[in-house]
Amino acid sequence: MVHGGLQNLRNITPDVEQWLFKIGVENPAEFTKLGAKKAYLQILEVGHEPSDELRCRLLGAEQDLDWQIIAKRDAIRASSRFADVDEP
């Protein structure tokens, strides 16, 4: 395996890179092959606490979008799910 290059992907910090290494993802091609969702689930399996920021960073890396755009989009989707709920 070629080691490195993950930090060349958008949103991949040294900490995120270390978690990816723990699940055997060592380069951008391996990350692309695995996908953000599977990577996130595998990172949880090896001990990372659930984290919206980590999930958004991985999805952003996969889609070449800033992770904060992913987070805002998720927040809008979540609030729209409750738009039709009557207040007590």
Side-chain angles (χ1 to χ4, degrees), residues 61-74:
E62 182 178 67
Q63 298 172 30
D64 195 27
L65 292 172
D66 186 276
W67 73 271
Q68 293 176 341
I69 292 171
I70 303 289
K72 287 177 187 175
R73 184 179 66 194
D74 286 357

Side-chain angles (χ1 to χ4, degrees), residues 40 44 48-60 67-68 70-71 74-75:
Y40 179 70
L44 294 181
H48 197 289
E49 293 293 319
S51 164
D52 284 339
E53 181 178 331
L54 175 60
R55 183 182 54 78
C56 291
R57 283 186 177 280
L58 294 170
L59 287 169
W67 73 271
Q68 293 176 341
I70 303 289
D74 286 357

Side-chain angles (χ1 to χ4, degrees), residues 12-45:
I12 302 299
T13 63
D15 289 342
V16 175
E17 182 180 55
Q18 288 304 309
W19 282 102
L20 288 168
F21 289 162
K22 285 184 181 185
I23 64 165
V25 175
E26 298 194 7
N27 60 58
E30 291 175 352
F31 174 75
T32 300
K33 183 176 178 181
L34 181 61
K37 291 178 184 178
K38 287 183 181 178
Y40 179 70
L41 293 173
Q42 288 184 19
I43 289 170
L44 294 181
E45 288 176 7

